[in-house]
Amino acid sequence: MTTSIASPAAAPTAAGAGPTAVIDTGRVAGLIHQLLVELGENPAREGLTGTPDRVAAWWRAFLSPDGAETATCFTESQLGGQLVIVGGMSVWSLCEHHMLPMNLQVTAGYVPDGEVVGLSKFGRIAQHFAGRLQVQERFTRQVAEYLNGVIGHENIAVAVRGVHLCMSMRGVRMEEARTTTVHSGGRFGTDPVLSQQFLTLTTGLWGAS
């Protein structure tokens, strides 16, 4: 398992890299058809009929996730010093180095200050940044930075545990390999007790899955 721990610094906006143009599914289907031919296949044979169109449709759907702009906060003036952790979020992304899938288990924690974030929004934010060619390290930072903007402060931590098919099914082919990235901001970077609580609960959630 590889682990990366980062603290926030001046960085680009959370929108970051992502698809910038409308996907021409007809052209993509044509390229998939050509790829099948180059791989020695017959795109017209039974089983492959319609495959280029299906693959093109999937690419368009995957690279056009729902927006993350719908995050909603609710006033809770009685909260103080409480740690909120949202875990069990599993999203699929694509490694931009080999264009192979990676499954990312996401856990986010924050300390509310007068308001709380709608819980379903955490999942939408994760899906939004997963729906593109990615690397896990950037994904972790993007989710954390977006939550910073939603919550209005940096008392946020995001941990991601990834299974990368580019490592499991090619190269060294280590199926049990896992990569962990952690982005700690605000109090999570300065308060060792709070940080340890987050990491302990996070690893507990991963161990139960």
Side-chain angles (χ1 to χ4, degrees), residues 189-204:
T190 60
D191 185 338
V193 174
L194 184 64
S195 177
Q196 187 59 50
Q197 285 180 330
F198 172 73
L199 292 175
T200 299
L201 291 168
T202 295
T203 53

Side-chain angles (χ1 to χ4, degrees), residues 19 30 42 47 62 156 161 166 191:
N42 175 13
F62 183 83
I156 293 165
R161 185 187 192 214
C166 58
D191 185 338

Side-chain angles (χ1 to χ4, degrees), residues 7 28 32 34 72 75 123 131 145 154 160 162 168 172 182-183 186 193:
S7 296
V28 174
I32 298 299
Q34 182 180 345
T72 305
T75 300
E145 289 180 349
E154 293 187 343
V160 180
S168 300
V172 293
V182 180
H183 187 109
V193 174

